[in-house]
Amino acid sequence: MDDELELLITAVVAAEGADQARAACRGLRARVGGRVVETADCSDEDPGCWSVTISVRPGERAGSTAAAALTRSIRSFLRSLDPGFATSRVACEPPTAWTVVDDPDLVAPLVPGGERLLVEAWTGARWLPAGGDFAAGGARPGRTNHTDHTVYSDHVDDTGDAHDSDDWSEPEPVDDGSGPRLRLWVDVVAEREAGAEWQARAVASRITREARLTGVARHTTAIRVGFDLGRVDGDPGQVVATAVATLGGTGWTPPERTERAVVAGWRTPSPPPSGISAVELAADATAPVPR
């Protein structure tokens, strides 16, 4: 099992475009000895802002105490930036730990125009589970023009029973296009819902940066996190196949067409002590009802 640590440092910076955002982070990248793996327009959430993610391999391994190693790697990194960062609270849910520094006065000297920093530590295959059938598929893709809303509530959980719709939010459908709506469910073995949601969002972000959280439900062996990934053009089967290819890895079930959706899934051979245990993708098999 690959227990090498990786740090991901995401800076949110006021910029007029991707080139300006990367230029603002050039000094930080040189200082930490990392490489840029993603630049994304986040102006929908923060007008006039871009995010730049830098990957750093500190050359450390988690060993038998993953939680301690993950937390320690973030704290050591923060201290190396400036003593003022050391007061940031670090949350940990192996295989990841994270903190957000939301203090422009601290961030701006490192990144001109910087608003805040997100620092993540991961073990194994980055955003995907180490030791499972998934394989790391490289850097996260950039933004896509997806929108939001609505989710099925009748998918099957890890016990084989239909999911109770009371556990899930059901936003009102919005006629935002004619293409199929893509949905994602991620099962995460974790103690806290926040940790499960964090890991599930990392998977969703490989497909789109505009995933909408639709529900979190605790089951016997895992916490299930659901997302609406928006409408996309194309046949539902091809939409699911493309999303599977984007996530990468082996062990996926072939896309299967049901009455309502085209579905594909992935599951670990045995439940891990922590981390992602299953992923399910679905695209509507029917067009939205016109208003």
Side-chain angles (χ1 to χ4, degrees):
M1 177 175 172
D2 181 9
D3 61 351
E4 183 182 359
L5 297 183
E6 178 184 23
L7 293 175
L8 294 175
I9 303 95
T10 300
V12 176
V13 55
E16 295 182 357
D19 290 343
Q20 188 180 92
R22 286 192 294 268
C25 295
R26 190 174 294 128
L28 175 63
R29 181 179 63 81
R31 178 169 178 171
V32 302
R35 62 187 182 91
V36 174
V37 295
E38 181 185 58
T39 304
D41 180 2
C42 53
S43 57
D44 289 348
E45 300 176 7
D46 295 289
C49 285
W50 285 72
S51 68
V52 178
T53 300
I54 300 170
S55 171
V56 177
R57 296 279 186 172
E60 303 173 13
R61 295 189 176 276
S64 59
T65 55
L70 288 165
T71 302
R72 184 171 59 251
S73 67
I74 289 183
R75 294 195 185 283
S76 297
F77 175 78
L78 293 174
R79 285 194 297 269
S80 73
L81 295 179
D82 187 278
F85 286 99
T87 59
S88 298
R89 181 179 178 183
V90 179
C92 183
E93 189 76 62
T96 183
W98 66 93
T99 190
V100 177
V101 181
D102 194 0
D103 188 340
D105 290 338
L106 278 175
V107 176
L110 295 172
V111 180
E115 299 288 337
R116 59 184 177 275
L117 286 181
L118 162 65
V119 182
E120 307 167 67
W122 291 85
T123 59
R126 288 193 186 175
W127 310 277
L128 300 181
D133 288 335
F134 262 133
R140 287 175 286 186
R143 293 173 70 89
T144 53
N145 190 27
H146 294 162
T147 48
D148 57 12
H149 298 294
T150 201
V151 62
Y152 289 136
S153 62
D154 58 352
H155 59 286
V156 177
D157 66 17
D158 55 319
T159 65
D161 297 326
H163 200 297
D164 185 351
S165 62
D166 290 339
D167 292 331
W168 296 87
S169 61
E170 291 287 343
E172 288 296 322
V174 170
D175 185 11
D176 56 1
S178 59
R181 186 176 294 282
L182 184 62
R183 313 169 199 278
L184 171 73
W185 295 275
V186 183
D187 289 357
V188 184
V189 180
E191 293 183 2
R192 297 173 301 203
E193 291 186 1
E197 181 183 333
W198 189 268
Q199 295 179 55
R201 282 190 181 278
V203 176
S205 72
R206 293 177 67 88
I207 301 173
T208 173
R209 298 285 292 180
E210 298 178 3
R212 175 190 170 98
L213 178 69
T214 55
V216 179
R218 183 178 293 274
H219 293 286
T220 304
T221 59
I223 297 173
R224 173 158 292 184
V225 186
F227 295 95
D228 179 355
L229 305 184
R231 293 200 185 280
V232 289
D233 295 329
D235 174 79
Q238 185 58 50
V239 167
V240 170
T242 300
V244 167
T246 299
L247 290 179
T250 60
W252 285 88
T253 61
E256 179 181 357
R257 186 177 293 269
T258 67
E259 182 178 351
R260 294 184 61 183
V262 175
V263 182
W266 174 92
R267 186 178 300 277
T268 55
S270 59
S274 64
I276 297 166
S277 61
V279 180
E280 184 178 295
L281 284 160
D284 296 343
T286 57
V289 178
R291 293 190 172 186

